[in-house]
Amino acid sequence: MTTTSAFTIIGGRTTMPGRPTVLRPTGTQHSGSNSIFRKQKDPLIRPLTCEEKHSIGLGRLYAQQQNQNQQQEQLKKGGTKHRSKYNAYKYNLELVECDTAADVLKIFVSKGGQTSVAGGGLFNSVNFSTALHRIARYCSFPDRRLMPPNHKGGFINLIEIQRKSVLSDPRFALLLCCLCEALAGADSSLTIPELDQQQKRTDLVSNGKSEEHSLVFNQREFSNIAWATAKLRVAPPSNVLPISSGNCEEMERELIAQSIQVRSLVLEVAKERASLSDPHERAQVPSRWIPAMSILAAKLLDNITCRANQRVHNFKPQEAANLSWALATAGRPHPVLFDQLANQLTDTMNNNAPPKPQQFSNSLWAFATCGIRSPGHIKLVESVANAMDGDDGGFLSTFKPQELSNTAWAIATLYSKRDEDVDMDEALYDIENDAASRVLRQIAQALKERVDEFKPQEVSNTIWAFATAGFGYHESALGYFYTETVHLSKTMSEEDHVLLSQTLDVMAANVVQRLEKFRPQELNNLSWGIARLGHSSDIITNLFQGIGRQAIMRVRQFTSQDIAATLWSFALAKYFDEEPYRVLVSQVTLSRAGACKPQELSNIIWALATAGVMPAHIHAFDTTCVHPKNRINPRERANDPVSECLAAAANELMTRPSAFKEQEIKDVLWSFSKLGVRHPQLFKAVAEHLVGGEDGSNNENIRGLGNFNPQGVGNMAWSYAKQAQLVNTNDDVVQAYTNKNTGRLAVYETSCRDVGERTTNRFFTAIAEAVLTNDRLSKSKPQDLSNTAWSFAVLGLLHRGLFSGISDEARLRMSNYGSKDSATPFRSQELANFIWATATLNHQVPGLPTAMAPYVLKACSKRDGSYDEQSIANYFTRQELVNIAWSCAVLKEYPPELMAFLYTGVLGRGDNANPEYLSALYNDGGLQQESISSFFYVQMALDLEASHLGLSLPPGFPENWGTSETADGGDDEFLKTPSPLVLKTSRLQVTVSQSLDRTGFHHVEEHVIHTEDLRNEFGIELSERPLEFLSIDIANVEDKIGVEVDGPGHFINLLDFEGNERETVNHNNVGLTGRRQVNGPTEFKDRMLHALGWRIGHVPFWEWRELDGNKEKEDLYCANLMKEVQED
């Protein structure tokens, strides 16, 4: 009861998230007057105008008046039945002359209708329909006479005051009771107590009906009563009070029982108020009948629905349209009735009468508002399309802009719900595709030609509809969206795209001059639609600039939903002017964020990250790698709107994670990582919410990753890896508070500090399992697969089942490239990142580089099937080519065609093997230092393991091949490429060296192998200048025996390790070590050293730590190690 009351008094329903507020059609408002003479329009309803008098002629007017007078006299002289009709006729004339709802209720009471069952027979069905209809009309328009003193709420609030006043008037409750009793066929000759007793004693409706004392309502009255009930918003929607089930007779019994209850409550309150002498005290007695009256109104609509189902074929088009509008507005639709009404409307229009735009638009609006898809609605859309296409545009020209806008909105809304269909005939989809396309095509043409006639809301809703249905969209618009949006058929896609582009430009040029008339929601709907459609032009950019200026000037008028939608649209459309971003997000503060929806918060910071709007305080949230003295306080942070907005979004996600949907969680985390803002507390809280805590807490209520889509899983993995990778920055603020490790070790250690080692492993295990279930592998886009693989590699985590699955899927897609079964192709970065991740994690996938070769060659081929530096540069960057070449070397697989291709792309061939030419071609300023170092290793591997390929570095390499940023200002050009080797001795290595000294193993630390050594001893030509190239931690140079002290950075963690796998270490041959496995770079280096004739032993860090500093144990360990190495 309480819920219903709250709905009734407060009223209103919010629009669905992501939907525009639609200009709600009003329905055709019938006066309902004098309907007992249905074949004649009574001129006495209103005075005739001068024009009418002249057009009719005085003689004709006199004859009509005489005819009316004769009819009235006949009614007067007739029997009781005729006199009753005459009285009803007079009452109707009085009702239509009323100025206010109070006047209508006064007439009802003055005739004594409120004290009798069904009005005591004083009112007929027309009177009831007219009375309720007039009250609803008066409550739909502001009455200045009722405006309270100092009223500042505007006309909308005044209308609400009028509505509440009517609903709290006991006379209205009694009028509604009488109407419901009459509709249920109650005997009007009974008293209220008799009706109550008879209702309890017998089946009144089935056995107690009296034809003489019961009223019969027709279709027009049904639609008018439903219209009025909907306009008054007195009935709760079906999600508050379910629609009644059962047959019409059962509903009639329920209707009468509920009416008696309302009457009882009204009487009870009246007695209580009468007992109080103080007017103020009387006013404090609540109108306790209102909840019951709301239920009565709902049952009234349900009863009308049931009656309409029985005689739907008698409904005229206008009546059918109005009834469907009313039930949709009230939120109490019935799918079967809607389908029948749509069929009736379509059949009647096609057979008997020309169609009327309002009937079409109202009916489609009703279907869309209720989300009801049916064969009838598709048939209706087809009728609209046929009517618009015919008559040389004559019918289209009769549509008002609001009707065009509502029609477009309805068609798009219904079309977007296709995935919710159950058992819909597939053939109907083709009909809908064609019909919807034709309608939207005509509406686009109308908007283009009549844009001046369209009001702001009509413009924005029409553009919203085009975007939602994907009418005329550009392919580039699909880049952000993961799930395939339902789009219209592409039978005329190019023509539609041209038409839409022209329409958008015409519209933009027009509305940019009147943006001040657009409300914030209309501005964001407009920008949202344009962004989704992917159209760009100078005119559109000018429009976005105008919307941005309006946002800045009216920022306080923008709600959080307006801010989110506007910024999201700006970012998607690549409009990156920072000022509107910063001004709008200034409204999203820590104190206000609680009122924001999760989707709004996630969209706002996604927009900031996409547009690259950086916070002033990038270290504001880093509690693990930034010293407290270098972090700002909340007051300082609040001075920067972007920092404060990020704080607000993070706080809400940590406070109420269950309120955030999977995509919203993903977008928040992605945004922080994209902006380069570390927030360990946020990422830890989300991980614990999803997979449980470090200590096993919260494991019973974990959310899991089962509902994340493939993009969500990939982005989540990327976000966590990127957060940890951000520690590898040159920022002294970060480095000063860490242990100053770098590279892979620093990344993994940071992840453990931020989230916890167990939680990190558990989280990424859950990611792997999520990818491998529910067919996510085949549904994943290449970017999802690449992001996931890259993330695991950055953190040094290997799930062999995941990587085998990704490898199989990638090979399948590459083999199908260019065929009709081809999926979305891999982009260059996705391809390079994937194979780099596989190699880095030392996951051996035989045949992966070989499978990649034909794919890469085809992607970079010219029309004649060949490739050159230009065609390669159109697809790859040189860094990506170097990464692929390095990965092939690590995986020890060198497909000849692929390696030749990579060398051509990186170093050129023939006359194009020129550093200046290639630098200009790729626009990269030269090779990065890391790329040069990697290519040294690739060349060495080729010389040692695949010399038959005949590939070599160009003369003089790497001189002049490096980037200008690597130069230190010296005169020697070779300094543009510093030594690729950076030596660093760890404390662990020092203690091992000391122990080896004690055991008699003569050695040096950090022995360096120069490029000159390789040339002299093995004929490997890497550089004309001597460069430090390879190092060995501890080396006996004479005997070529070396010891590598392998710290944590040399290993990866196996997430799908099985306990029966080998858990010991062969110290002179790297491999599996329990849950740890050496990574690809470490094994690659070991392989190269063995190829150069070195015998290498390995000291894993955890084994040395287990010795706990005991020198005797350390010496024994080293002695055994040397024995194993020398025996190798």
Side-chain angles (χ1 to χ4, degrees), residues 707-726:
N707 292 326
F708 282 82
N709 63 27
Q711 184 191 45
V713 173
N715 281 4
M716 288 280 287
W718 180 90
S719 300
Y720 274 83
K722 189 66 176 178
Q723 279 283 301
Q725 193 191 43
L726 287 172

Side-chain angles (χ1 to χ4, degrees), residues 689-980:
H689 170 67
L690 295 174
V691 300
E694 185 78 0
D695 57 357
S697 62
N698 194 37
N699 287 356
E700 296 180 357
N701 300 315
I702 60 175
R703 181 171 182 168
L705 299 175
N707 292 326
F708 282 82
N709 63 27
Q711 184 191 45
V713 173
N715 281 4
M716 288 280 287
W718 180 90
S719 300
Y720 274 83
K722 189 66 176 178
Q723 279 283 301
Q725 193 191 43
L726 287 172
V727 78
N728 271 336
T729 174
N730 293 325
D731 196 328
D732 293 336
V733 174
V734 174
Q735 292 296 325
Y737 198 53
T738 64
N739 57 13
K740 297 187 178 180
N741 284 322
T742 58
R744 289 179 290 272
L745 175 58
V747 172
Y748 181 73
E749 287 182 344
T750 301
S751 179
C752 293
R753 287 164 62 110
D754 289 352
V755 181
E757 184 173 15
R758 291 182 181 178
T759 304
T760 297
N761 291 345
R762 187 184 299 119
F763 182 76
F764 275 83
T765 299
I767 285 177
E769 292 171 350
V771 173
L772 294 172
T773 56
N774 296 330
D775 202 27
R776 284 191 181 89
L777 267 178
S778 62
K779 297 177 182 177
S780 295
K781 292 183 178 180
Q783 185 176 7
D784 306 328
L785 301 175
S786 172
N787 281 347
T788 303
W790 179 89
S791 305
F792 276 74
V794 166
L795 291 175
L797 301 172
L798 174 62
H799 190 286
R800 289 170 293 188
L802 171 67
F803 271 77
S804 295
I806 293 178
S807 299
D808 292 343
E809 181 67 25
R811 284 192 285 191
L812 175 63
R813 296 190 187 188
M814 287 188 290
S815 65
N816 289 334
Y817 178 58
S819 69
K820 63 179 182 179
D821 298 326
S822 177
T824 304
F826 283 86
R827 293 182 296 183
S828 59
Q829 185 180 18
E830 296 160 355
L831 205 60
N833 282 359
F834 167 59
I835 194 170
W836 173 88
T838 302
T840 298
L841 292 175
N842 197 19
H843 181 67
Q844 297 297 320
V845 185
L848 179 60
T850 301
M852 184 183 294
Y855 179 87
V856 168
L857 294 174
K858 183 180 292 186
C860 297
S861 293
K862 298 185 292 184
R863 289 186 177 181
D864 61 1
S866 65
Y867 63 83
D868 58 17
E869 294 82 358
Q870 180 65 62
S871 67
I872 296 174
N874 291 338
Y875 188 75
F876 282 102
T877 67
R878 282 200 287 181
Q879 180 65 54
E880 293 162 354
L881 295 170
V882 170
N883 285 349
I884 294 175
W886 177 86
S887 301
C888 290
V890 172
L891 296 173
K892 200 179 180 180
E893 187 171 338
Y894 310 100
E897 290 186 341
L898 178 61
M899 299 309 298
F901 169 89
L902 296 172
Y903 266 65
T904 299
V906 176
L907 303 173
R909 62 185 175 187
D911 294 339
N912 291 336
N914 180 290
E916 289 78 14
Y917 167 76
L918 293 171
S919 175
L921 178 64
Y922 285 95
N923 193 28
D924 58 8
L927 290 172
Q928 298 290 328
Q929 175 185 329
E930 184 179 355
S931 297
I932 292 175
S933 175
S934 296
F935 230 70
F936 276 150
Y937 286 110
V938 171
Q939 185 61 51
M940 179 178 64
L942 288 175
D943 287 341
L944 293 173
E945 298 177 336
S947 59
H948 62 280
L949 297 179
L951 298 172
S952 61
L953 299 175
F957 187 86
E959 188 173 348
N960 295 323
W961 286 82
T963 59
S964 58
E965 287 78 4
T966 61
D968 64 357
D971 294 330
D972 194 341
E973 288 294 328
F974 188 68
L975 291 179
K976 290 185 178 180
T977 308
S979 170

Side-chain angles (χ1 to χ4, degrees), residues 49 58 261 610 707 892:
T49 65
L58 294 178
Q261 182 183 354
T610 302
N707 292 326
K892 200 179 180 180

Side-chain angles (χ1 to χ4, degrees), residues 638-663:
N639 292 330
D640 174 47
V642 177
S643 298
E644 180 72 358
C645 180
L646 292 175
N651 184 68
E652 291 304 312
L653 179 50
M654 290 188 289
T655 303
R656 46 181 175 134
S658 297
F660 283 69
K661 296 179 181 178
E662 284 74 13
Q663 179 171 338

Side-chain angles (χ1 to χ4, degrees), residues 436-450:
S437 296
R438 287 191 285 143
V439 172
L440 293 181
R441 196 172 296 132
Q442 295 284 6
I443 293 175
Q445 187 66 36
L447 176 60
K448 176 183 172 184
E449 297 173 355
R450 301 164 54 189

